[in-house]
């Protein structure tokens, strides 16, 4: 059977999957995963944001499904962020390698790269400081050149506070 972990606003939760892989789930996010991985692929689904530390198993690729993209890995650490209301999905690679399939086009990332998929524009791969996208799992929030409207959305999720701009 499938399990669902839903994390409310202002929360964060860690899960160890059947294969020993570890997942940190950010606030207002959910993870769907099977009790036992059987079959060729180890597949999970994410709505919102999660950080994965995947146990290597070359015979059983690990697959993360998001709204518009599918991330395929063997053994690696990476962050995915795809809150529906943000209108974008980001896959940020820390260690190892991942392939991201977006509508049939496959992007291969190397550590320190991020694939960003925004509605209405071409997906793009860029070099990033991965700590800006992963430090949330250690309880630290880092921001750099982030537009105020995006930043306040993140703060709202973490602290369950609304921001109003006059």
């Amino acid at each position: 059977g499938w399990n669902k972990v839903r994390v409310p606003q202002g929360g964060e939760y860690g899960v160890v999957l059947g294969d020993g892989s570890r997942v940190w789930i950010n606030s207002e996010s959910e993870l769907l995963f099977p009790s036992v991985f059987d079959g060729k692929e180890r597949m999970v689904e994410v709505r919102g944001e999660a950080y994965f530390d995947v146990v290597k198993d070359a015979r059983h690729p690990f697959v993360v499904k998001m709204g518009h993209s599918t991330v395929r890995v063997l053994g690696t650490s990476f962050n995915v962020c795809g809150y529906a209301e943000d209108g974008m999905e980001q896959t940020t690679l820390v260690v190892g390698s991942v392939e991201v399939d977006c509508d049939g086009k496959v992007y291969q990332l190397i550590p320190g790269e991020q694939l960003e998929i925004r509605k209405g524009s071409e997906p793009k791969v860029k070099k990033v400081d991965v700590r800006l996208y992963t430090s949330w799992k250690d309880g630290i929030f880092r921001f750099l050149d982030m537009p105020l409207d995006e930043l306040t959305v993140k703060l709202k999720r973490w602290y369950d506070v609304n921001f109003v701009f006059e």
Side-chain angles (χ1 to χ4, degrees), residues 46-58:
V46 171
R47 299 191 186 115
E49 182 164 27
Y51 181 93
F52 289 86
D53 212 338
V54 175
V55 169
K56 199 170 177 63
D57 179 352

Side-chain angles (χ1 to χ4, degrees), residues 37-123:
F37 287 115
D38 47 15
K40 283 206 165 79
E41 295 180 331
R42 298 174 281 165
M43 186 174 294
V44 301
E45 206 167 311
V46 171
R47 299 191 186 115
E49 182 164 27
Y51 181 93
F52 289 86
D53 212 338
V54 175
V55 169
K56 199 170 177 63
D57 179 352
R59 284 186 314 219
H60 302 93
F62 193 93
V63 178
V64 180
K65 292 188 77 127
M66 281 196 293
H68 298 279
S69 51
T70 303
V71 184
R72 201 169 245 96
V73 300
L74 297 176
T76 181
S77 297
F78 62 101
N79 194 78
V80 295
C81 186
Y83 291 98
E85 67 273 21
D86 289 1
M88 67 170 172
E89 290 176 3
Q90 294 170 325
T91 301
T92 309
L93 180 61
V94 180
V95 188
S97 74
V98 297
E99 284 181 353
V100 187
D101 184 324
C102 175
D103 300 327
K105 189 165 182 199
V106 176
Y107 299 83
Q108 200 139 21
L109 302 185
I110 60 171
E113 285 185 341
Q114 176 185 80
L115 173 69
E116 186 173 277
I117 301 165
R118 273 185 192 269
K119 281 200 177 96
S121 59
E122 276 293 294

Side-chain angles (χ1 to χ4, degrees), residues 1-4 32-38 43:
W2 281 74
N3 306 303
K4 178 190 283 190
L32 286 85
F33 61 99
S35 312
V36 178
F37 287 115
D38 47 15
M43 186 174 294

